[in-house]
Amino acid sequence: MPDILKTYTPVTEQQLRAPADGDWLMIRRTYDGWGYSPLDQITPANVSRLEPAWVFSTGVRSGHEAAPVVSNGVMFVSTPTHQVLAIDAKTGRILWRFIKEVAENVVAPHPTSRGVALLGDKVFFAANDAVLVALNARTGMGAWRTTVADNKSGYYMTLAPLVAGGKVMVGASGGEMGVRGFVAAYDPDTGKELWRTYTVPAPGEPGSETWPKGDQWKNGGAPVWVTGNYDLQTNTAYWGTGNGGPWMGDQRPGDNLYATSVVALDVATGKIKGHFQYVPNDSWDWDEVSPPILVDFQRQGRTVKGLIDVSRSGYLWFLERSDGPITFVEGKPYVTQNVFRSLDPKTGRPDVDPARKPGTGKNAEFCPSHWGGKNWPPIAYSPKTRMIYIPANENLCGSIIGRPATYSPGSSYTGASSTLSLVPGAKHIGEVQAWNVDTGQRVWTHTYGTSANWGPMLATGGGLVFSGGTNDRKFHAFDATTGTLLWEFPTNSGITGQPTSFSIDGKQYIAVLSGWGVDARAMQARLERLLPGNYPEVPEGGAVWVFAVK
């Protein structure tokens, strides 16, 4: 066993609550979801000297969307094909490799992984076949595994587990196959299930009155496929939920709680403390699975204990959290949006233009497209600039027409067909936007002329913002205050991974996974059909890139 593994120190709950500046122990580093590193060695003055320190090929194609997490100088990375790697974070030397065996016919329409979680001497990995695995951090050997849901019925997992309050929590993908969404919590030592909370209520439960009578709730969707954020003070986890099933709202009359919502769960019991529904009776496939980040902001002379969500619907939501209800503060579009005519000033409920709402046998055109103004890639927040940084896609519209849908376990349950289009005269699609959280106003925008943006964001104490996401395979660094593009570097493939930063022996590093695929690949192909020759195929193949100032 390499010395670095022999001396590996178990990760404590206190470390997760208050990580050392040089550590990155969970996918967004801190429970509030900021995606922010306080490290400040790399600055606008020296970022031009950023060069690769090492590169490691994962040996896998398809979309690499995970965050490299680092503890005790060991980097843990998950990839497609159910793989977890342990790498010496300073040198790039592989320490161990775990590959989970799965059935040949595993159901996983989005075959990726968005990362792992750490606690004690374990690494927790949510596999595509809906099995939660605990690995020994020193050896990569299995400690325990538990089946979370039935993969043959369409349940699969792509998210990183959330470790908080002494529990390991996960949700499941599968909203396109008629699953019933949930969040489940497990004992980190044994894998025993401790509670399970469904995001579609059963008859008689609160919210069930928002669904049709009958058994439709059993296949109502509202999947949970992005890791939640966590409020330490109230022991509350905030999870975003996806679309209802099937896609067309006229096939499931009612608001359909808790689809396309944020739900606040008591981590001790799983009880739903509060919720806010962004899109009642969603008919646009506007999953709102990205959880809101926890940021306290100023409004009208008072400090709001805030939740901020940049939603797929094209709206930026400012909400107020508590130890119970979630209340509306403000909402506004951040990209072209023609579906919501207005928001109720007290509740935030949108007034929908019926001409822009698809239905069964009814085609409707709308903006943004079903991929949204922002998809799953997370925003970042810098407490130094008081700004959030958004990987946005502007000028993308589309249409959907519905058809009757019949549920069959493990099969598509969308009942819809979609198209993609551009706003007439549009000159670009991808953007990086910066918004001040206290004024609620946009500060700067960087545009990408011939690329969408699928790049998760990283902000640092050095006054920089890092992101990939473009079809030119480049990794970018911006001045966090002005938006000036200061540095870029072409990698082997397009970057859809979540960047992180860590330090070893007093030196700061930036890490990111390169590896195009999944939805980024699908959108690129549609754009190429729309504008032939402008959006060619992006090379694929996964690699871990680690950069440092030379």
Side-chain angles (χ1 to χ4, degrees), residues 336 394-397 421-429 448-449 531 535:
T336 300
E394 173 64 292
N395 297 317
L396 277 182
C397 303
S421 60
L422 291 176
V423 171
K427 302 297 184 183
H428 73 278
I429 297 173
Y448 297 118
L531 298 167
Y535 292 86

Side-chain angles (χ1 to χ4, degrees), residues 201 205-212 252-259 277 281:
E205 296 177 344
S208 61
E209 70 281 0
T210 67
W211 286 87
R252 42 177 167 79
D255 284 356
N256 310 134
L257 290 175
Y258 299 92
Q277 188 172 46
N281 194 240

Side-chain angles (χ1 to χ4, degrees), residues 471 516 524 528 533-539:
N471 56 20
W516 197 253
Q524 180 81 359
E528 175 64 13
N534 291 287
Y535 292 86
E537 178 182 333
V538 178

Side-chain angles (χ1 to χ4, degrees), residues 273-323:
K273 293 181 174 183
H275 74 278
F276 180 85
Q277 188 172 46
Y278 304 106
V279 187
N281 194 240
D282 171 55
S283 296
W284 302 268
D285 188 33
W286 282 341
D287 297 69
E288 301 297 8
V289 286
S290 293
I293 63 171
L294 281 65
V295 176
D296 296 347
F297 55 84
Q298 301 296 312
R299 279 299 183 279
Q300 298 178 343
R302 74 180 184 100
T303 298
V304 177
K305 293 184 69 67
L307 297 170
I308 300 176
D309 182 62
V310 182
S311 73
R312 195 152 153 179
S313 69
Y315 262 63
L316 171 57
W317 301 91
F318 293 88
L319 309 173
E320 185 167 10
R321 71 186 191 275
S322 68
D323 196 12

Side-chain angles (χ1 to χ4, degrees), residues 97-363:
R97 184 192 304 263
F98 168 83
I99 300 177
K100 184 183 183 300
E101 294 183 359
V102 300
E104 289 186 9
N105 60 344
V106 62
V107 178
H110 295 79
T112 189
S113 171
R114 297 187 178 89
V116 298
L118 306 178
L119 181 66
D121 61 356
K122 294 183 178 64
V123 180
F124 301 98
F125 172 59
N128 284 167
D129 59 352
V131 174
L132 178 60
V133 180
L135 305 174
N136 184 295
R138 294 186 182 90
T139 66
M141 301 296 290
W144 54 257
R145 63 179 60 191
T146 186
T147 299
V148 174
D150 179 21
N151 180 246
K152 292 181 180 179
S153 295
Y155 293 87
Y156 67 106
M157 297 195 297
T158 58
L159 79 177
L162 172 63
V163 173
K167 297 174 177 63
V168 183
M169 291 167 278
V170 293
S173 303
E176 278 65 56
M177 291 175 288
V179 302
R180 183 188 179 201
F182 63 85
V183 177
Y186 296 86
D187 185 300
D189 294 322
T190 66
K192 178 184 177 182
E193 184 173 317
L194 301 175
W195 53 255
R196 179 173 298 229
T197 300
Y198 287 97
T199 52
V200 177
E205 296 177 344
S208 61
E209 70 281 0
T210 67
W211 286 87
K213 293 182 178 179
D215 291 337
Q216 197 164 352
W217 59 275
K218 294 180 179 179
N219 314 112
V224 176
W225 51 270
V226 172
T227 311
N229 292 326
Y230 175 63
D231 189 331
L232 283 161
Q233 293 183 333
T234 62
N235 200 30
T236 303
Y238 294 92
W239 298 85
T241 64
N243 58 276
W247 276 12
M248 293 299 95
D250 61 6
Q251 296 184 37
R252 42 177 167 79
D255 284 356
N256 310 134
L257 290 175
Y258 299 92
T260 55
S261 302
V262 54
V263 292
L265 300 186
D266 185 330
V267 171
T269 66
K271 178 184 176 181
I272 298 178
K273 293 181 174 183
H275 74 278
F276 180 85
Q277 188 172 46
Y278 304 106
V279 187
N281 194 240
D282 171 55
S283 296
W284 302 268
D285 188 33
W286 282 341
D287 297 69
E288 301 297 8
V289 286
S290 293
I293 63 171
L294 281 65
V295 176
D296 296 347
F297 55 84
Q298 301 296 312
R299 279 299 183 279
Q300 298 178 343
R302 74 180 184 100
T303 298
V304 177
K305 293 184 69 67
L307 297 170
I308 300 176
D309 182 62
V310 182
S311 73
R312 195 152 153 179
S313 69
Y315 262 63
L316 171 57
W317 301 91
F318 293 88
L319 309 173
E320 185 167 10
R321 71 186 191 275
S322 68
D323 196 12
I326 300 171
T327 53
F328 172 73
V329 177
E330 184 183 14
K332 59 180 63 179
Y334 65 95
V335 294
T336 300
Q337 215 272 15
N338 61 11
V339 175
F340 298 169
R341 296 184 293 199
S342 63
L343 301 180
D344 184 288
K346 291 185 178 181
T347 67
R349 185 183 180 91
D351 174 31
V352 171
D353 182 346
R356 301 291 184 183
K357 184 173 184 177
T360 306
K362 175 194 172 187
N363 186 70

